[in-house]
């Protein structure tokens, strides 16, 4: 399944540097000044990515970085 492969790819790439990881709803990881959640949609055939950071530039950079890795 493409969605499962995408989640696995991102998990493997980011887990070594994560302060914490959670798999309750997809893959969630927290870092020093940013965090993300990547999950399959429950209602559509898409993957949803949410990125939060202490500043807009980090948020934009990390969003682009993760999307580029998919």
């Amino acid at each position: 399944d493409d969605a499962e492969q995408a989640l696995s790819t991102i998990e493997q790439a980011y887990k070594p540097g994560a302060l914490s990881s959670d798999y309750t709803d997809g893959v969630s990881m927290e870092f020093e000044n940013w965090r993300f959640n990547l999950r399959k949609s429950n209602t559509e055939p898409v993957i949803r990515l949410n990125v939060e950071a202490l500043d807009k530039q980090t948020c934009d950079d990390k969003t682009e970085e993760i999307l580029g890795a998919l």
Side-chain angles (χ1 to χ4, degrees):
D1 181 52
D2 289 340
E4 291 299 327
Q5 181 60 43
L7 270 63
S8 177
T9 296
I10 297 302
E11 175 189 7
Q12 291 174 20
Y14 287 88
K15 189 169 184 168
L19 299 175
S20 66
S21 302
D22 186 291
Y23 302 96
T24 304
D25 186 18
V27 176
S28 297
M29 294 189 183
E30 189 165 332
F31 302 86
E32 187 173 333
N33 62 348
W34 70 286
R35 62 184 172 193
F36 76 87
N37 171 263
L38 184 68
R39 67 178 183 86
K40 295 189 302 184
S41 172
N42 292 325
T43 58
E44 300 174 282
V46 297
I47 298 174
R48 300 194 186 283
L49 171 64
N50 295 296
V51 178
E52 297 178 341
L54 295 177
D55 61 86
K56 183 176 179 350
Q57 188 62 54
T58 299
C59 189
D60 292 346
D61 291 348
K62 293 302 181 180
T63 298
E64 186 175 322
E65 181 180 290
I66 292 171
L67 291 176
L70 292 175

